[in-house]
Amino acid sequence: MDLKHLHTFKVVAETKGFTKAAETLSYAQSSVTAQIQALEEELQTKLFDRLGKKIILTASGEKLLPYAVKLLEMHDAALNDITSANETPTGTLTIGAPESLAAFRLPAIIKQYTEKYPQVKLALRPGACWELRNLTRSGELDLAFTLETELSDPDLHIETLVIEEMALVAPPTHPLAAFDQLQTEDLRDVTFLHTEPGCSYRSLFEKHLNSRGIFTNTDLEFWSIEAIKNCVMSGLGVSFLPQIAVQNEIESRKLVALPWSDPSCSVATQMVYHPKKWMSPALKEFIEITREHAALWRN
C-alpha cells in the first residue's frame, strides 16, 4: 500500500470529509478522491460511506485505520532514526486542540516551530477535549492540548501549562454591566450563548449554575467562538469564555467582563501525550517549544 494513500485515508477519517481533508493536505479534492479510490481498488473494499454530506468509515475502514496509523508511525520513526545523525527533525506531527486554544494559544508556538523545523509537517485536528484525550490514548494523535479542570489519567501524561482566566462577557449596554459585583443568583434570568456540547468549560459553568438551582431554557448554542462573540456584541445574551479569546474585544470596549467569578469554574490549558508512544525528535522539540511559551504565559 502506498504510504501517501494511507496518510490521505487517515486524514479523511480524522476530518470526516474529502473537502476538509483536501484543505488540510493542501491537495485538490479530486486528488484526495483519486487516492482513496486507488486504495479501495487495491484492497477491493469500500472504505467510506457517504450519508448526505457526512463521511463515515465502513467496517473495512475501521479495521484499516489502526494499521494505517501504525504504518505511518513506523515510517516517521524510520525517517527520524536514519536522519538522527544530523539532529534535524522530520516527519509529520498530528496535534489536537479545541478551537479556543488553536486560535489563541497555538499560533505563536506553531510559527516558531515551523520556522525552526520546516521539514516537519504539522496537521492540526480540532475537537472536544474528551475526544482529543481518547485519540491521544489510541495513538491517533501525537500530542493534544486540552482546556478543562486539572485532571490525571493513568494512561496519559497530562501536564498543566497555565491556569486560564475565564470571563463572563456581555455588551456594554447589558443591564448586568452596571453591577459593581455580581452574585450567581443575579444570573437566574440571563440568556447564555454557549459553545458546542462537550466543551469542558461550558459543562463546568452549567454544572455550577445547576448546583444553585439555576436552569435556563432560553440558551443559544454555537459551534464557533467568533460567532458567539459577535452575537454577544449584538445584544443576544452573555457568554462564559476564556479570557484569551475575548481580550481584544474587552480592551476595545466591544465587550465587558462582568464582575463575577467563582474558583469552582477554573480551567487549565494542559498538554497531553501517551507516555508509551515513541518520542520522535520532532515531537520532543515541539514539546520543548511549547514549554518555553507556557513559561511566558505564566509570567
Side-chain angles (χ1 to χ4, degrees), residues 193-209:
L193 279 61
H194 291 300
T195 49
E196 72 278 5
C199 173
S200 56
Y201 52 83
R202 169 186 172 171
S203 300
L204 190 66
F205 183 61
E206 288 182 318
K207 183 178 179 180
H208 176 84
L209 294 180

Side-chain angles (χ1 to χ4, degrees), residues 104 229 243-254:
F104 300 102
K229 291 193 291 186
Q243 181 84 19
I244 54 170
V246 293
Q247 188 63 44
N248 290 339
E249 288 78 10
I250 291 173
E251 290 176 356
S252 63
R253 294 293 297 171
K254 294 177 180 178

Side-chain angles (χ1 to χ4, degrees), residues 18 33 35 63 65 71 88 91 95-96 102 116 126 130 133 137 145 147 156 173 190 194 213 219 223 228 263 276 286:
F18 283 66
T33 302
Q35 289 183 46
K63 288 180 181 178
L65 184 58
L71 286 169
T88 302
I95 298 166
K116 190 173 183 180
W130 63 268
R133 279 188 277 107
R137 187 180 291 108
F145 293 90
L147 184 63
L156 298 171
T173 55
V190 172
H194 291 300
D219 293 355
W223 289 88
I228 290 175
K276 295 183 179 179
F286 194 93

Side-chain angles (χ1 to χ4, degrees), residues 146-254:
T146 61
L147 184 63
E148 52 194 341
T149 55
E150 292 186 272
L151 50 79
S152 60
D153 188 312
D155 297 326
L156 298 171
H157 172 89
I158 301 179
E159 182 176 334
T160 295
L161 300 175
V162 64
I163 303 299
E164 298 286 0
E165 292 185 27
M166 300 295 295
L168 188 63
V169 293
T173 55
H174 196 282
L176 293 181
F179 282 53
D180 293 327
Q181 183 62 48
L182 278 179
Q183 304 300 320
T184 300
E185 179 62 29
D186 297 321
L187 305 177
R188 184 169 296 279
D189 297 318
V190 172
T191 296
F192 295 105
L193 279 61
H194 291 300
T195 49
E196 72 278 5
C199 173
S200 56
Y201 52 83
R202 169 186 172 171
S203 300
L204 190 66
F205 183 61
E206 288 182 318
K207 183 178 179 180
H208 176 84
L209 294 180
N210 296 165
S211 70
R212 285 153 177 78
I214 299 176
F215 301 87
T216 62
N217 55 13
T218 58
D219 293 355
L220 302 174
E221 186 176 287
F222 299 82
W223 289 88
S224 162
I225 289 179
E226 290 302 316
I228 290 175
K229 291 193 291 186
N230 285 326
C231 289
V232 172
M233 285 187 280
S234 72
L236 285 179
V238 304
S239 189
F240 186 64
L241 295 170
Q243 181 84 19
I244 54 170
V246 293
Q247 188 63 44
N248 290 339
E249 288 78 10
I250 291 173
E251 290 176 356
S252 63
R253 294 293 297 171
K254 294 177 180 178

